Short mmCIF file of all heavy atoms in Angstrom, two decimals:
data_model
loop_
_atom_site.label_atom_id
_atom_site.label_comp_id
_atom_site.label_asym_id
_atom_site.label_seq_id
_atom_site.Cartn_x
_atom_site.Cartn_y
_atom_site.Cartn_z
N ILE H 1 26.67 4.34 21.06
CA ILE H 1 25.90 5.38 20.37
C ILE H 1 25.84 6.66 21.19
O ILE H 1 25.48 7.71 20.66
CB ILE H 1 24.47 4.88 20.06
CG1 ILE H 1 23.70 4.62 21.36
CG2 ILE H 1 24.50 3.65 19.21
CD1 ILE H 1 22.24 4.32 21.13
N GLU H 2 26.18 6.58 22.49
CA GLU H 2 26.21 7.77 23.33
C GLU H 2 27.60 8.35 23.47
O GLU H 2 27.77 9.42 24.07
CB GLU H 2 25.65 7.43 24.72
CG GLU H 2 24.18 7.01 24.69
CD GLU H 2 23.69 6.57 26.06
OE1 GLU H 2 24.53 6.53 26.99
OE2 GLU H 2 22.49 6.27 26.20
N ASP H 3 28.61 7.68 22.91
CA ASP H 3 30.00 8.14 22.98
C ASP H 3 30.22 9.22 21.92
O ASP H 3 30.01 8.97 20.73
CB ASP H 3 30.95 6.97 22.76
CG ASP H 3 32.40 7.36 23.06
OD1 ASP H 3 32.69 8.57 23.14
OD2 ASP H 3 33.23 6.44 23.21
N PRO H 4 30.66 10.42 22.32
CA PRO H 4 30.88 11.48 21.31
C PRO H 4 31.90 11.10 20.26
O PRO H 4 31.78 11.49 19.10
CB PRO H 4 31.35 12.66 22.16
CG PRO H 4 30.86 12.37 23.54
CD PRO H 4 30.88 10.88 23.69
N VAL H 5 32.89 10.37 20.65
CA VAL H 5 33.92 9.95 19.68
C VAL H 5 33.31 9.04 18.63
O VAL H 5 33.58 9.16 17.42
CB VAL H 5 35.09 9.26 20.40
CG1 VAL H 5 36.13 8.78 19.38
CG2 VAL H 5 35.73 10.20 21.41
N VAL H 6 32.48 8.09 19.13
CA VAL H 6 31.83 7.17 18.18
C VAL H 6 30.91 7.95 17.24
O VAL H 6 30.85 7.68 16.03
CB VAL H 6 31.04 6.10 18.95
CG1 VAL H 6 30.23 5.23 17.98
CG2 VAL H 6 31.98 5.24 19.76
N VAL H 7 30.17 8.92 17.80
CA VAL H 7 29.27 9.73 16.95
C VAL H 7 30.07 10.47 15.90
O VAL H 7 29.69 10.52 14.72
CB VAL H 7 28.48 10.70 17.83
CG1 VAL H 7 27.67 11.66 16.96
CG2 VAL H 7 27.56 9.95 18.78
N GLU H 8 31.22 11.04 16.31
CA GLU H 8 32.05 11.77 15.36
C GLU H 8 32.60 10.85 14.28
O GLU H 8 32.59 11.18 13.08
CB GLU H 8 33.20 12.45 16.11
CG GLU H 8 34.11 13.28 15.20
CD GLU H 8 35.25 13.92 15.98
OE1 GLU H 8 35.27 13.81 17.22
OE2 GLU H 8 36.12 14.52 15.31
N LEU H 9 33.09 9.66 14.70
CA LEU H 9 33.61 8.69 13.73
C LEU H 9 32.50 8.22 12.79
O LEU H 9 32.72 8.04 11.58
CB LEU H 9 34.23 7.50 14.46
CG LEU H 9 35.52 7.80 15.26
CD1 LEU H 9 35.95 6.57 16.05
CD2 LEU H 9 36.63 8.25 14.33
N ALA H 10 31.29 8.01 13.35
CA ALA H 10 30.17 7.56 12.52
C ALA H 10 29.80 8.63 11.49
O ALA H 10 29.54 8.32 10.32
CB ALA H 10 28.97 7.21 13.39
N GLU H 11 29.77 9.90 11.92
CA GLU H 11 29.45 10.98 10.99
C GLU H 11 30.50 11.09 9.90
O GLU H 11 30.20 11.34 8.74
CB GLU H 11 29.34 12.30 11.75
CG GLU H 11 28.11 12.37 12.65
CD GLU H 11 28.05 13.68 13.41
OE1 GLU H 11 29.04 14.46 13.31
OE2 GLU H 11 27.03 13.95 14.08
N ARG H 12 31.80 10.89 10.33
CA ARG H 12 32.86 10.92 9.32
C ARG H 12 32.69 9.77 8.34
O ARG H 12 32.88 9.94 7.14
CB ARG H 12 34.21 10.82 10.01
CG ARG H 12 35.39 10.97 9.04
CD ARG H 12 36.71 10.62 9.72
NE ARG H 12 36.90 11.45 10.93
CZ ARG H 12 37.88 11.23 11.80
NH1 ARG H 12 38.73 10.22 11.62
NH2 ARG H 12 38.00 12.02 12.88
N LEU H 13 32.32 8.58 8.86
CA LEU H 13 32.10 7.43 7.98
C LEU H 13 30.97 7.69 7.00
O LEU H 13 31.08 7.42 5.80
CB LEU H 13 31.79 6.19 8.83
CG LEU H 13 31.39 4.92 8.06
CD1 LEU H 13 32.54 4.46 7.17
CD2 LEU H 13 30.99 3.81 9.03
N VAL H 14 29.87 8.23 7.54
CA VAL H 14 28.74 8.52 6.66
C VAL H 14 29.10 9.56 5.61
O VAL H 14 28.74 9.46 4.43
CB VAL H 14 27.53 8.99 7.50
CG1 VAL H 14 26.40 9.48 6.60
CG2 VAL H 14 27.03 7.86 8.39
N GLY H 15 29.84 10.61 6.04
CA GLY H 15 30.24 11.64 5.09
C GLY H 15 31.15 11.11 4.00
O GLY H 15 30.96 11.42 2.82
N ASN H 16 32.14 10.31 4.39
CA ASN H 16 33.04 9.72 3.40
C ASN H 16 32.30 8.77 2.47
O ASN H 16 32.55 8.72 1.26
CB ASN H 16 34.19 8.99 4.09
CG ASN H 16 35.12 9.96 4.81
OD1 ASN H 16 35.24 11.13 4.42
ND2 ASN H 16 35.78 9.51 5.86
N PHE H 17 31.36 8.00 3.08
CA PHE H 17 30.57 7.08 2.25
C PHE H 17 29.74 7.87 1.24
O PHE H 17 29.63 7.51 0.06
CB PHE H 17 29.66 6.24 3.15
CG PHE H 17 28.69 5.38 2.39
CD1 PHE H 17 29.10 4.18 1.81
CD2 PHE H 17 27.37 5.77 2.22
CE1 PHE H 17 28.20 3.40 1.10
CE2 PHE H 17 26.47 5.00 1.52
CZ PHE H 17 26.89 3.80 0.96
N GLN H 18 29.16 8.96 1.70
CA GLN H 18 28.33 9.79 0.81
C GLN H 18 29.17 10.38 -0.32
O GLN H 18 28.76 10.37 -1.48
CB GLN H 18 27.68 10.90 1.63
CG GLN H 18 26.81 11.84 0.81
CD GLN H 18 26.13 12.88 1.69
OE1 GLN H 18 25.87 12.62 2.86
NE2 GLN H 18 25.86 14.03 1.13
N LYS H 19 30.36 10.87 0.02
CA LYS H 19 31.23 11.44 -1.02
C LYS H 19 31.66 10.38 -2.03
O LYS H 19 31.69 10.62 -3.23
CB LYS H 19 32.46 12.07 -0.37
CG LYS H 19 32.14 13.33 0.44
CD LYS H 19 33.39 13.89 1.09
CE LYS H 19 33.07 15.13 1.93
NZ LYS H 19 34.28 15.68 2.60
N ALA H 20 32.04 9.19 -1.48
CA ALA H 20 32.46 8.12 -2.39
C ALA H 20 31.32 7.67 -3.29
O ALA H 20 31.50 7.45 -4.50
CB ALA H 20 32.99 6.94 -1.57
N LEU H 21 30.10 7.55 -2.70
CA LEU H 21 28.94 7.15 -3.49
C LEU H 21 28.60 8.21 -4.53
O LEU H 21 28.30 7.88 -5.69
CB LEU H 21 27.75 6.91 -2.56
CG LEU H 21 26.44 6.47 -3.24
CD1 LEU H 21 26.65 5.15 -3.98
CD2 LEU H 21 25.33 6.34 -2.21
N GLU H 22 28.67 9.47 -4.13
CA GLU H 22 28.39 10.54 -5.08
C GLU H 22 29.40 10.53 -6.22
O GLU H 22 29.04 10.72 -7.39
CB GLU H 22 28.43 11.88 -4.35
CG GLU H 22 28.13 13.07 -5.25
CD GLU H 22 28.21 14.39 -4.50
OE1 GLU H 22 28.50 14.37 -3.30
OE2 GLU H 22 28.00 15.43 -5.14
N LEU H 23 30.66 10.30 -5.88
CA LEU H 23 31.70 10.27 -6.91
C LEU H 23 31.44 9.17 -7.91
O LEU H 23 31.59 9.36 -9.13
CB LEU H 23 33.07 10.08 -6.25
CG LEU H 23 34.28 10.12 -7.19
CD1 LEU H 23 34.39 11.48 -7.88
CD2 LEU H 23 35.56 9.80 -6.42
N GLU H 24 31.03 8.00 -7.40
CA GLU H 24 30.75 6.89 -8.31
C GLU H 24 29.50 7.15 -9.14
O GLU H 24 29.44 6.79 -10.32
CB GLU H 24 30.60 5.60 -7.50
CG GLU H 24 31.89 5.10 -6.89
CD GLU H 24 32.95 4.77 -7.95
OE1 GLU H 24 32.58 4.23 -9.01
OE2 GLU H 24 34.12 5.09 -7.71
N LEU H 25 28.47 7.74 -8.48
CA LEU H 25 27.23 7.99 -9.21
C LEU H 25 27.39 9.05 -10.28
O LEU H 25 26.63 9.07 -11.26
CB LEU H 25 26.13 8.42 -8.23
CG LEU H 25 25.57 7.32 -7.31
CD1 LEU H 25 24.56 7.92 -6.34
CD2 LEU H 25 24.93 6.20 -8.12
N LYS H 26 28.38 9.95 -10.10
CA LYS H 26 28.59 10.99 -11.10
C LYS H 26 29.26 10.45 -12.35
O LYS H 26 29.30 11.15 -13.37
CB LYS H 26 29.44 12.10 -10.50
CG LYS H 26 28.66 13.02 -9.55
CD LYS H 26 29.52 14.15 -9.04
CE LYS H 26 28.71 15.10 -8.17
NZ LYS H 26 29.55 16.22 -7.66
N LYS H 27 29.81 9.27 -12.26
CA LYS H 27 30.41 8.68 -13.46
C LYS H 27 29.31 8.42 -14.49
O LYS H 27 28.23 7.92 -14.16
CB LYS H 27 31.13 7.39 -13.11
CG LYS H 27 32.37 7.62 -12.25
CD LYS H 27 33.11 6.32 -11.95
CE LYS H 27 34.37 6.58 -11.11
NZ LYS H 27 35.10 5.32 -10.79
#
């Protein structure tokens, strides 16, 4: 959780998850 790479990957994961969830919810 203190690794910048992990933080960046986690933020990317959350962002992609949010976009995917939003896309599905917009259906």
Side-chain angles (χ1 to χ4, degrees):
I1 64 172
E2 296 175 356
D3 190 344
V5 178
V6 174
V7 173
E8 182 181 354
L9 293 174
E11 290 179 353
R12 185 190 304 171
L13 174 63
V14 172
N16 292 333
F17 173 79
Q18 179 177 332
K19 291 179 182 179
L21 180 61
E22 181 182 0
L23 184 62
E24 290 299 321
L25 289 176
K26 284 183 177 180
K27 292 182 179 180

